[in-house]
Amino acid sequence: MSSRSRREAASRADARRRTRQIDRSDGPAEGESDVAAQDAQAPAAAGGLLGRLFPTAPPLPNKPDPLAGFSYSGPFRSAAAGLYVLANHPRAWVPMGIAWAAAQTFAFVNGYTALAYSNRFAALPPNYALIDTIVLVIGAFAVLAAGWIGWARPWLFGVAAVVTGTLLQATFIWLLPNAEAVAPAGAGALFVAVILNSLPQVLFGAFLGWYGGYLRRRLAANQPPPQRRGRRR
């Protein structure tokens, strides 16, 4: 067999092999393997540590525009847009703020917060660690739920839940009949103390609210697409 005949036979065999590979979908076509490898390496190289801890999550599918109907275009558009979103979705942050306030008030009624504000740490009740853990878990889940439900701006819904809960808690403590026993300076001073003590928790609420929305987007992105069922004959 001449060299030309061998080349033609090899070419035909290679064409048949490629055809069978495409029919079976055993592997990528020519040139696709390099592209796939580059795409796989791109996310690992971008973002650094934060990119690995929190990979990019796509927006939730089939969701309407949260700013539909919002027409303000002044200098404070961003702040006004946030208030607009909160006003249109109160069920995402008001109930969670009530849950936050209930948890914090539970700690106060059981003596932990009251003693902490009065600087009598030596007299802390023996179950203060359990109370603190319960308060932390309930508050964290409440703020996470606010960010989960408030998909438009989850961090803002987390902040709104914490601020609402703090105001409700401070108001309840202010109205307690024995508030003066805890704060000799008066109930008003106790109200201010509760507010000031809760200011760092606003950052906690912003992060947990953001993470609640991020977690929802990640779970939605990892769900497999619905499979279409063929008609039975």
Side-chain angles (χ1 to χ4, degrees):
M1 182 182 293
S2 63
S3 59
R4 181 177 179 180
S5 300
R6 285 195 296 269
R7 286 196 301 268
E8 291 178 354
S11 177
R12 289 193 297 269
D14 185 59
R16 288 194 297 269
R17 181 183 59 81
R18 291 187 180 182
T19 302
R20 289 194 300 269
Q21 184 179 17
I22 293 175
D23 293 338
R24 294 195 307 267
S25 299
D26 288 340
E30 184 178 0
E32 290 182 358
S33 58
D34 296 336
V35 176
Q38 293 176 0
D39 293 341
Q41 294 176 358
L49 179 61
L50 289 178
R52 294 181 180 181
L53 292 177
F54 305 106
T56 304
L60 290 175
N62 303 323
K63 290 294 183 181
D65 183 9
L67 296 179
F70 180 72
S71 58
Y72 175 75
S73 58
F76 304 102
R77 175 176 172 80
S78 180
L83 294 177
Y84 178 83
V85 172
L86 290 177
N88 285 330
H89 302 85
R91 291 180 295 179
W93 54 276
V94 173
M96 305 312 163
I98 295 175
W100 173 278
Q104 300 293 331
T105 305
F106 172 78
F108 179 86
V109 171
N110 282 271
Y112 174 65
T113 307
L115 293 172
Y117 283 131
S118 60
N119 296 322
R120 291 178 291 176
F121 294 102
L124 285 175
N127 60 341
Y128 79 94
L130 177 61
I131 296 174
D132 195 31
T133 302
I134 294 175
V135 169
L136 180 62
V137 171
I138 295 177
F141 272 100
V143 180
L144 275 172
W148 179 285
I149 301 173
W151 54 270
R153 294 190 180 184
W155 70 268
L156 183 61
F157 282 87
V159 170
V162 171
V163 171
T164 302
T166 300
L167 292 176
L168 291 176
Q169 176 202 2
T171 302
F172 178 80
I173 294 174
W174 186 12
L175 298 177
L176 283 178
N178 58 346
E180 290 78 8
V182 179
L190 182 59
F191 179 88
V192 175
V194 173
I195 298 296
L196 295 178
N197 186 71
S198 301
L199 285 179
Q201 296 177 352
V202 174
L203 297 177
F204 178 74
F207 172 75
L208 279 184
W210 170 84
Y211 185 73
Y214 169 81
L215 185 62
R216 182 178 181 181
R217 296 196 306 273
R218 287 294 302 172
L219 293 178
N222 292 334
Q223 289 181 355
Q227 298 180 356
R228 296 182 179 179
R229 297 181 179 180
R231 295 181 179 178
R232 296 182 178 179
R233 296 182 179 179

